[in-house]
Amino acid sequence: MCRSIKTLRPPALPEEATEEEITAAALQYVRKVSGFRAPAAHNREVFDRAVAEIAASTARLLADLEVRGAAAPRAEAGEPAAARR
């Protein structure tokens, strides 16, 4: 849908997504859905609230995803399997 939104989970990103990356993705989504690059003054509050809500949902999604297989981070030698998550 919005090609400028990048994937924010491994292996696309080698580390955890930052708050700035999550907010940028949420902003791009709201811009695309609303059709406004920047809202008029009378729509600023609802626009900003949507960005914040989507960013929060995205952060929860990324925190709760369980990545398996080749994309999962590898444990260091001698590290127990339970410590990998």
Side-chain angles (χ1 to χ4, degrees):
M1 179 179 126
C2 192
R3 294 179 186 191
S4 60
I5 298 174
K6 65 182 184 177
T7 302
L8 297 179
R9 67 158 185 83
L13 286 181
E15 294 138 13
E16 189 174 306
T18 65
E19 184 176 335
E20 291 80 23
E21 290 169 319
I22 291 170
T23 301
L27 177 60
Q28 288 299 317
Y29 177 80
V30 171
R31 286 177 173 169
K32 183 68 166 189
V33 171
S34 70
F36 295 111
R37 176 155 173 33
H42 62 278
N43 285 325
R44 170 59 63 189
E45 184 180 339
V46 71
F47 191 91
D48 290 344
R49 186 174 57 238
V51 171
E53 289 172 359
I54 292 167
S57 292
T58 300
R60 283 191 305 273
L61 169 69
L62 293 172
D64 293 345
L65 283 176
E66 182 179 333
V67 180
R68 294 182 178 183
R74 299 207 186 278
E76 295 294 323
E79 183 180 352
R84 292 182 211 165
R85 276 193 73 195

